[in-house]
Amino acid sequence: QVQLVESGGGLVQAGGSLRLSCAASGRAFSNYNMGWFRQAPGKEREILAAINWSGSIKNYADFVKGRFTISRDNAENTVYLQMNSLKPEDTAVYYCAADGDRLRPATPFLQEYDYWGQGTQVTVSS
């Protein structure tokens, strides 16, 4: 299995940027497709972006296209989420997740992810 630890969250003003990192340990990181999700209070967890095991396929939720960028560094066992032009409605706990099926590239479906980090809080002030 793989262990995931998110970092990089914090408080930022509207219009600002943050880069989240998700460090993986355990089994070979390159075996996993990765996703970023978020969950705001009282709301369901939602997909933001996903990337396949090699980094060649990326999918984004419509509401983050043009603002968020997912990337990965398999040599560093890390996946990133660059977030620009942040809005107060982006305030949430952000999670990374790993999907062990390499034949299922960058799936947007929460239930298809096997491992989850503990999350990092992002707060965007107006």
Side-chain angles (χ1 to χ4, degrees), residues 37-46 91-95 121:
F37 297 77
R38 72 184 182 191
Q39 188 166 18
K43 295 188 176 182
E44 294 186 350
R45 194 168 297 189
E46 60 184 357
T91 295
V93 178
Y94 284 66
Y95 299 90
Q121 176 70 45

Side-chain angles (χ1 to χ4, degrees), residues 83-107:
M83 305 187 296
N84 299 327
S85 303
L86 284 163
K87 307 174 183 179
E89 51 265 42
D90 293 319
T91 295
V93 178
Y94 284 66
Y95 299 90
C96 67
D99 167 24
D101 188 347
R102 292 180 66 174
L103 299 181
R104 185 169 57 204
T107 178

Side-chain angles (χ1 to χ4, degrees), residues 18-89:
L18 284 174
R19 188 175 82 153
L20 305 183
S21 299
C22 172
S25 60
R27 294 188 63 184
F29 179 65
S30 60
N31 285 341
Y32 294 89
N33 307 308
M34 300 296 295
W36 281 100
F37 297 77
R38 72 184 182 191
Q39 188 166 18
K43 295 188 176 182
E44 294 186 350
R45 194 168 297 189
E46 60 184 357
I47 180 73
L48 301 174
I51 188 168
N52 76 325
W53 62 273
S54 69
S56 61
I57 300 172
K58 302 175 185 180
N59 291 325
Y60 295 93
D62 287 343
F63 59 87
V64 302
K65 284 181 180 177
R67 297 195 300 131
F68 291 9
T69 302
I70 190 170
S71 62
R72 67 188 295 159
D73 185 338
N74 284 347
E76 295 294 329
N77 292 346
T78 303
V79 62
Y80 303 97
L81 187 68
Q82 176 68 43
M83 305 187 296
N84 299 327
S85 303
L86 284 163
K87 307 174 183 179
E89 51 265 42

